Amino acid sequence: MHTIIYLLAYAGLFWGFFVLLVQALGTYKLFREYSSVPPEPVSPTLPKDEIPHVTIIRPAKGLEPALYECLASVFHQTYPRDKLTVHLCVESRRDPAYAVLCRLVDDFPDFDVRVFVEEEDPYLISNDAANNANNIGPNPKIRNMSRAFREAKGDILWPLDCNVWIARDVAGRMVDRLCGFRPGGRRATPYKFVHQLPLVVDTVTSMSRVDATGQTRLSSASVTGGSGSGSGSGAAGDVSVPSSVPSRAWAHGGGRLEEMFMATTHAKFYCAINLVGVAPCVVGKSNMFRRAHLDLATDAARNPVLASSSTAAALPRGIDHFASYMCEDHVIGDLLWRTPIPGFANHGLLYGDLAVQPIAGMSVRAYVARRVRWLRARKWTVLSATLVEHGVESLVCCFYLAFGLTTVPWAREALGVPATWTALASCWALGVALWMLLDRAVSGRLHAGLSIRVDGNTPSFARGASRGGAEKRPFGEWLLAWLGREVLALPIWTWAVFLGTGVNWRGRRFRVRSDMTVVAMDEDARDDMNGRGTPEVDGIRRSGKRD
């Protein structure tokens, strides 16, 4: 029995120090790269015929907070406008986001910008079996962007979520990183894939208002995932903000939890993993890659990575290849990472530039559902990382470390601590407190906005606390959010990993399969009843044609 305990203690000690090392790398990189504005980009200053053309693709669904400002940020880029094409995508003209997209087209007439409506895509609604339309999987985001990718101009593609804002020089620096442009005409090794660190800002404070009766209200159009028009004061779609602290925390506290996660645990490990570069680590908020590389990677005849997969051979080429997967951002990055392309490095994180996502009115329930969806989508994509993910959270990791320090003989002797539960609890509490202080410093640095070049087009949520931003977090308020997120981390992980495979996404229900493909659950149930469901067929079958 003692042998087993000592083995567990050594394992806990090793894991704890390993996590601390990874955190140290990520924290170092964060403070180094996000403490000042990055240098001016090189690519916009190149001779006209040497500047690569970029197609920006922005899929929209519903009215997200500050949707117009987020989408408009690509029109304020310093990258030459004649080298930019903007494709805005929406599922149908009935989607509330459609009016916002049309407004952008009207407001920026000098840009090459088009709006693509999924329901009007002839490729998706065609009855001609020869075009393989039925082979496009159920992923609603990929289906939304399919035509925009097919009709993109140039080789460089930049899918950019509708709910993120970027600073004005980001396009140039993304191209610099992807193509290896350096000052003075120097060239670095180009990358296959470039991405940004996302940062969430909960704007429920700055976006709320007080009506004539003194009631604090939030426009439904400002609520994360909302679809109301938010057309005016006192609109029927307005959402009231509860006056009591517990009710307000439950109804709108999810945004603070999401903000906390993205600015602490996620940011530290995202930077550390990308710094070491031992495996792909990608979030699909802002990704840039080449069409030629995507076509090569998804062609089973040319890519040996796909040669052994019968499922992959049946999937379309290009972006449609990934419509069978829920976690399409990671799958795209992972496939490009594994595809051998001579002369190109794998992934490059664009340090210094943030993809800022404003959210508002997210409930705790919505936050939990979002984290569960994320974990379940990744469960089969990166199984080993998902299984140990609970161990990188403060409460669990500090317990492992405290158990090791108070159990392993040489550790106890070095620290002079007894092998008692009291000593273990004291070590655990001290570790959690130090962890909390580190998170406070990291989140404070990111939310200070020191790396963002502020101008007249910078919205308040993206200015940062040190640049006149509207959102500030007093320590007591911040601490409550930190404790809430840390306490919920293990239950959410347990529920997501062990207690189901279904996820809700973009208003639909999907089941994530062990081969990483997804199937709409209504269709999955119908196939099971008919006794004809197979992984190869279910993984690529589209969810049903739209009228």
Side-chain angles (χ1 to χ4, degrees):
M1 184 66 180
H2 286 293
T3 301
I4 296 176
I5 292 176
Y6 283 139
L7 287 175
L8 291 174
Y10 274 105
L13 201 61
F14 170 81
W15 179 256
F17 280 116
F18 172 74
V19 172
L20 292 181
L21 174 61
V22 174
Q23 282 206 88
L25 289 173
T27 302
Y28 160 76
K29 199 63 176 176
L30 280 167
F31 273 83
R32 178 177 178 177
E33 303 292 348
Y34 295 91
S35 296
S36 60
V37 177
E40 297 283 342
V42 174
S43 50
T45 66
L46 295 174
K48 212 67 168 176
D49 59 344
E50 296 181 18
I51 301 176
H53 195 98
V54 178
T55 296
I56 302 173
I57 300 172
R58 308 208 67 171
K61 175 70 175 179
L63 292 179
E64 295 284 347
L67 177 62
Y68 181 91
E69 289 80 5
C70 290
L71 292 173
S73 63
V74 299
F75 298 103
H76 300 305
Q77 294 296 298
T78 55
Y79 203 78
R81 68 176 58 182
D82 61 331
K83 294 292 184 177
L84 282 179
T85 294
V86 181
H87 286 176
L88 307 172
C89 314
V90 70
E91 182 181 14
S92 82
R93 294 176 183 266
R94 298 182 300 276
D95 191 300
Y98 179 73
V100 179
L101 305 188
C102 292
R103 178 185 165 194
L104 286 161
V105 174
D106 293 337
D107 289 350
F108 298 95
D110 296 332
F111 278 81
D112 179 13
V113 54
R114 295 175 62 189
V115 176
F116 292 90
V117 180
E118 179 190 332
E119 288 187 344
E120 300 171 9
D121 183 353
Y123 183 83
L124 296 181
I125 64 178
S126 172
N127 291 320
D128 181 7
N131 67 12
N132 292 324
N134 288 323
N135 277 358
I136 299 181
N139 184 311
K141 185 176 178 181
I142 295 295
R143 297 177 67 86
N144 187 298
M145 299 188 295
S146 177
R147 187 176 183 183
F149 269 86
R150 296 197 309 270
E151 300 188 18
K153 297 179 181 179
D155 192 36
I156 296 180
L157 307 174
W158 187 10
L160 187 63
D161 279 5
C162 70
N163 57 6
V164 297
W165 177 92
I166 56 172
R168 65 181 189 179
D169 292 325
V170 170
R173 282 192 284 266
M174 290 282 281
V175 171
D176 288 353
R177 188 79 161 155
L178 186 75
C179 299
F181 296 130
R182 291 284 186 87
R186 294 177 292 116
R187 296 293 294 267
T189 302
Y191 284 93
K192 306 177 198 172
F193 187 97
V194 173
H195 53 118
Q196 290 181 260
L197 175 69
L199 181 71
V200 168
V201 179
D202 179 36
T203 61
V204 69
T205 301
S206 59
M207 285 191 172
S208 61
R209 60 180 177 78
V210 179
D211 63 15
T213 65
Q215 171 67 52
T216 303
R217 307 188 72 84
L218 190 66
S219 167
S220 62
S222 299
V223 176
T224 299
S227 58
S229 61
S231 56
S233 176
D238 281 2
V239 178
S240 62
V241 178
S243 56
S244 69
V245 173
S247 297
R248 187 166 64 249
W250 176 255
H252 300 295
R256 293 296 172 87
L257 301 179
E258 180 75 2
E259 177 185 275
M260 186 63 63
F261 170 68
M262 297 300 288
T264 53
T265 299
H266 180 269
K268 290 181 294 184
F269 283 91
Y270 198 79
C271 285
I273 295 171
N274 279 285
L275 173 63
V276 177
V278 295
C281 183
V282 173
V283 172
K285 291 297 178 185
S286 174
N287 302 327
M288 182 179 283
F289 45 84
R290 296 170 180 82
R291 187 211 307 260
H293 288 177
L294 197 67
D295 289 342
L296 169 64
T298 55
D299 188 348
R302 295 191 292 159
N303 187 1
V305 173
L306 302 181
S308 60
S309 173
S310 58
T311 300
L315 296 174
R317 287 173 50 190
I319 193 64
D320 294 339
H321 180 92
F322 304 97
S324 301
Y325 303 93
M326 177 64 67
C327 203
E328 77 288 332
D329 47 6
H330 176 83
V331 178
I332 291 172
D334 179 69
L335 183 57
L336 287 173
W337 178 285
R338 293 184 294 120
T339 300
I341 304 177
F344 291 88
N346 284 323
H347 290 183
L349 176 59
L350 184 65
Y351 291 106
D353 283 307
L354 295 164
V356 184
Q357 178 188 353
I359 62 175
M362 177 185 283
S363 67
V364 174
R365 183 190 297 271
Y367 164 76
V368 172
R370 180 182 177 89
R371 291 291 300 132
V372 167
R373 184 184 77 219
W374 194 347
L375 285 165
R376 286 181 179 171
R378 294 175 58 246
K379 181 164 60 175
W380 301 116
T381 310
V382 281
L383 179 60
S384 58
T386 304
L387 290 178
V388 300
E389 187 167 319
H390 70 291
V392 306
E393 303 290 357
S394 64
L395 304 186
V396 176
C397 185
C398 287
F399 174 80
Y400 290 161
L401 193 57
F403 178 68
L405 291 174
T406 56
T407 304
V408 175
W410 62 263
R412 287 192 290 106
E413 293 175 4
L415 295 177
V417 295
T420 64
W421 288 107
T422 301
L424 188 153
S426 299
C427 289
W428 175 82
L430 177 62
V432 171
L434 293 175
W435 193 304
M436 179 269 297
L437 293 175
L438 176 63
D439 279 352
R440 174 65 171 173
V442 169
S443 65
R445 178 54 52 101
L446 289 175
H447 283 285
L450 298 176
S451 66
I452 297 175
R453 188 181 299 278
V454 174
D455 60 22
N457 295 313
T458 306
S460 61
F461 64 80
R463 290 178 176 267
S466 67
R467 304 288 186 86
E471 303 295 335
K472 294 179 173 58
R473 305 287 179 254
F475 178 73
E477 189 177 301
W478 180 93
L479 180 61
L480 288 176
W482 186 87
L483 289 172
R485 201 210 71 81
E486 298 299 322
V487 169
L488 285 174
L490 183 59
I492 289 174
W493 177 85
T494 304
W495 181 21
V497 174
F498 298 113
L499 302 179
T501 59
V503 296
N504 287 306
W505 192 39
R506 291 198 167 203
R508 300 184 58 200
R509 184 80 173 164
F510 297 91
R511 182 164 67 92
V512 184
R513 312 185 68 159
S514 59
D515 63 353
M516 300 185 298
T517 58
V518 295
V519 62
M521 293 187 74
D522 54 349
E523 181 176 320
D524 191 31
R526 182 170 63 250
D527 289 343
D528 289 343
M529 291 174 59
N530 294 335
R532 58 184 176 87
T534 65
E536 290 78 17
V537 176
D538 286 344
I540 62 177
R541 185 179 294 121
R542 66 179 294 202
S543 58
K545 293 182 179 179
R546 293 172 170 79
D547 296 331

